[in-house]
């Protein structure tokens, strides 16, 4: 037996291993490719959203010293919406076929909704507490922006940046 083993001519029949199977039922419901894309989009969108919200809040806070709340919000939102849309087009939704014009037009429509919601929140807060500081207004603006951002992701993903069809 030692000689056939040493020469490599010995054959030992082994049973075939079963194919790997998923242990959890959810593991086979969706392909990992779709999950990976959604995970990337969410992570990227959140990172860009945090940076955009911080940028908008900072710009609003700086402009609030010279302008009323609605004007400061409008200017800060216009600047950051353009930057945010371009960052999301290039990073978050890079696998889609949306042109820059389509991306910015779609984001422009969402801009109106975002402006109305964020300005409404700040003006409501300013009406409720006329002595509120610009820092408190900025906090209200940031909270309203988080709500707008969640809605924005859903609309951008499903309408503006639809995935390529093959």
């Amino acid at each position: 037996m030692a000689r056939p083993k040493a020469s490599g001519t010995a054959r030992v029949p082994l049973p075939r291993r079963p194919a790997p199977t998923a242990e959890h039922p959810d593991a086979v419901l969706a392909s990992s490719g779709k999950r990976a894309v959604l995970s990337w989009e969410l992570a990227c969108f959140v990172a860009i959203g945090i940076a955009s919200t911080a940028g908008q809040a900072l710009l609003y806070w700086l402009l609030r010293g010279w302008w009323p709340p609605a004007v400061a919000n409008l200017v800060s939102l216009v600047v950051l919406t353009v930057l945010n849309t371009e960052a999301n087009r290039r990073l978050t939704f890079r696998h889609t076929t949306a042109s820059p014009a389509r991306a910015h037009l779609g984001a422009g429509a969402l801009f109106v909704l975002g402006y109305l919601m964020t300005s409404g929140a700040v003006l409501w807060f300013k009406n409720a507490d006329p002595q509120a500081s610009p820092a408190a207004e900025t906090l209200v603006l940031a909270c309203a922006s988080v709500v707008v951002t969640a809605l924005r992701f859903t609309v951008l993903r499903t309408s503006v940046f639809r995935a390529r069809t093959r």
Side-chain angles (χ1 to χ4, degrees), residues 16-157:
R16 296 194 62 82
R17 293 182 66 178
T21 59
E23 300 249 343
H24 193 278
D26 287 345
V28 296
L29 293 179
S31 70
S32 61
K34 288 182 182 180
R35 285 185 183 171
V37 168
L38 179 59
S39 296
W40 169 262
E41 287 176 350
L42 280 172
C44 213
F45 195 84
V46 166
I48 292 169
I50 289 170
S52 295
T53 300
Q56 182 194 4
L58 178 63
L59 187 56
Y60 173 84
W61 183 68
L62 291 171
L63 296 175
R64 185 59 184 95
W66 297 290
W67 296 336
V71 176
N73 185 36
L74 177 66
V75 171
S76 65
L77 196 58
V78 165
V79 170
L80 270 299
T81 296
V82 171
L83 295 174
N84 178 290
T85 301
E86 192 59 24
N88 279 314
R89 187 184 73 80
R90 290 176 183 241
L91 299 172
T92 306
F93 301 110
R94 65 182 183 220
H95 65 280
T96 63
T97 59
S99 67
R102 177 184 167 88
H104 286 282
L105 284 173
L110 290 170
F111 167 81
V112 173
L113 175 67
Y115 177 71
L116 291 174
M117 287 181 69
T118 55
S119 288
V122 170
L123 292 174
W124 172 82
F125 178 71
K126 194 67 175 161
N127 188 43
D129 185 5
Q131 303 304 319
S133 69
E137 290 176 19
T138 302
L139 181 62
V140 170
L141 178 76
C143 291
S145 292
V146 169
V147 173
V148 169
T149 298
L151 179 63
R152 192 170 191 267
F153 175 78
T154 304
V155 173
L156 286 175
R157 186 169 196 275

